[in-house]
Amino acid sequence: MTFSKMVVTACLLLLVAYTWPIFSHGTGRSSPTLVIYGFSILEEVISSGILPVFQKRWREQTGEEVRFYTSFAGSGTVTNQIRFGAPADVALFSHTLDAHRLKEAGLIQHDWTGSPYQGIINRTPMILIVRQGNPKGLSSFEALGQPGVGIVHPDPQTSGGALWALLAEYGAFALPEGGSPGAAHAGMIDLWRNVIILGSSARAARTQFEMGFGDVLITYEQEAVKDLARGKFNHEMVVPEWTIYTEHPAIAIDRNISPEERPLVEAFLDFLWTEEAQRIFVEYGFRSITDPRLDAENPSFSKIPHTFTVDDLGGWPQAYAEIVEGFWRKRILEEVRP
């Protein structure tokens, strides 16, 4: 193990040790308790939208007052926290690749692809947020490669949103008629030469953009839509002609769930696919995975000419190996490094 990896591992263990007393206080389970770890942009909809409604439903059905403990961070960070001992009953990932990692580590024993919608609870496309008036005239991923453009991007080392952004960029160059891997290489070289800030999560990248860094932020549509609905969006949203739908799974962490706790965990997961929960996701800016007609209830959603999913790029294992590792890390990143 390298020194840097030892430092990272030590930090993760300290973080788990720091948070463990909080959760262990709840694991006495005098009343039912659900521990949820999720990736950054889900914090508001889960904490303010989903949990109060599920708590009311559980009380009406059982007479019990369920308690929740939650923690939110970048999807990669959440995965490492659980792997090093965080007591999550349910994990909400940015993508299923992180679930595959925990399954390989033995923390997840079941096949979540047998769940409704293969475990996916909602989705949102990757879009661009630009400064008011769009002074650089940015309308596509191709335009981000123009000289003088400053891009704020989530960090692929820690952020699930960053991996989705990489796939969105690659697909936007490679999938349209006339596109190719060669076009993706040329386009992403220009784009990544303009990346000036890497945020540790999608939310951290948004914070950097709000502080005044850069001309454009690559992020989830939900980040703009939730603020548009509240009249708090001070920028402009640009929807590329081609972009990817990000899809977010909710998965039980089998290692941390006792037989007595299993009914509560399964009831919570089942609730996430109900029409009531899907309407809450739409209200907070996520698109419904169960019924696209519910999306009409949010007028801030944009029409996108061409969307694709990770399945159009071969699925997560193939897309990660070929596009993230083989293409971006070993070719693009090496060529743009000073």
Side-chain angles (χ1 to χ4, degrees):
M1 180 181 291
T2 65
F3 177 75
S4 60
K5 288 184 177 179
M6 291 175 66
V7 171
V8 171
T9 301
C11 290
L12 286 167
L13 289 172
L14 286 171
L15 178 61
V16 171
Y18 177 76
T19 56
W20 179 261
I22 300 173
F23 295 114
S24 61
H25 175 73
T27 53
R29 310 275 172 154
S30 56
S31 61
T33 303
L34 192 62
V35 181
I36 301 169
Y37 273 60
F39 77 102
S40 59
I41 68 166
L42 279 173
E43 181 172 4
E44 186 174 6
V45 65
I46 293 297
S47 298
S48 301
I50 293 292
L51 296 186
V53 176
F54 176 75
Q55 187 177 50
K56 179 174 180 291
R57 171 180 285 216
W58 184 262
R59 185 190 309 121
E60 292 171 349
Q61 292 176 345
T62 68
E64 297 176 327
E65 193 71 25
V66 62
R67 295 188 299 170
F68 304 101
Y69 292 110
T70 60
S71 179
F72 294 88
S75 192
T77 301
V78 166
T79 302
N80 286 329
Q81 288 172 332
I82 295 173
R83 188 170 183 175
F84 282 94
D89 296 318
V90 174
L92 310 172
F93 297 114
S94 172
H95 49 73
T96 55
L97 190 65
D98 283 333
H100 282 291
R101 289 168 175 157
L102 293 187
K103 187 174 180 66
E104 290 173 358
L107 279 70
I108 299 173
Q109 285 100 41
H110 69 286
D111 179 9
W112 64 83
T113 62
S115 302
Y117 303 92
Q118 298 186 322
I120 304 298
I121 58 171
N122 58 39
R123 60 182 185 169
T124 184
M126 295 303 292
I127 55 91
L128 313 176
I129 294 179
V130 299
R131 302 295 176 192
Q132 192 68 251
N134 195 4
K136 295 290 178 72
L138 306 174
S139 60
S140 65
F141 287 111
E142 182 178 9
L144 303 192
Q146 297 172 0
V149 174
I151 301 171
V152 180
H153 200 291
D155 187 349
Q157 304 289 345
T158 55
S159 167
L163 301 187
W164 284 114
L166 290 177
L167 299 189
E169 294 155 17
Y170 180 90
F173 288 113
L175 294 179
E177 186 176 353
S180 66
H185 177 263
M188 290 181 68
I189 284 289
D190 290 340
L191 188 156
W192 272 86
R193 281 188 175 132
N194 285 340
V195 173
I196 60 171
I197 295 285
L198 289 174
S200 61
S201 68
R203 181 57 49 83
R206 173 70 184 274
T207 299
Q208 297 284 347
F209 186 74
E210 295 291 348
M211 292 172 65
F213 293 100
D215 303 299
V216 57
L217 168 69
I218 302 175
T219 190
Y220 301 100
E221 178 195 55
Q222 187 270 344
E223 281 282 292
V225 168
K226 69 179 179 61
D227 286 346
L228 277 170
R230 299 167 186 171
K232 296 182 178 179
F233 190 58
N234 300 318
H235 311 292
E236 289 190 15
M237 180 169 57
V238 174
V239 181
E241 186 175 2
W242 285 78
T243 193
I244 198 167
Y245 264 129
T246 70
E247 298 171 320
H248 317 127
I251 298 174
I253 307 300
D254 298 301
R255 182 197 63 179
N256 297 336
I257 304 171
S258 69
E260 295 76 20
E261 296 160 351
R262 180 71 65 175
L264 173 61
V265 172
E266 293 182 351
F268 176 72
L269 291 173
D270 289 342
F271 173 70
L272 298 177
W273 289 290
T274 63
E275 183 172 320
E276 186 174 20
Q278 290 292 306
R279 286 184 188 279
I280 294 171
F281 284 131
V282 170
E283 177 186 349
Y284 281 77
F286 294 92
R287 304 202 185 201
S288 172
I289 194 68
T290 65
D291 186 356
R293 293 173 299 180
L294 296 177
D295 295 344
E297 297 178 8
N298 193 324
S300 296
F301 287 151
S302 301
K303 291 184 179 179
I304 306 171
H306 302 285
T307 58
F308 53 94
T309 69
V310 68
D311 289 340
D312 295 311
L313 300 172
W316 263 112
Q318 180 178 333
Y320 183 80
E322 295 182 0
I323 299 175
V324 177
E325 289 292 332
F327 184 80
W328 176 76
R329 193 182 306 279
K330 294 182 179 177
R331 297 182 61 193
I332 303 297
L333 199 56
E334 288 298 318
E335 292 184 45
V336 301
R337 277 177 173 164

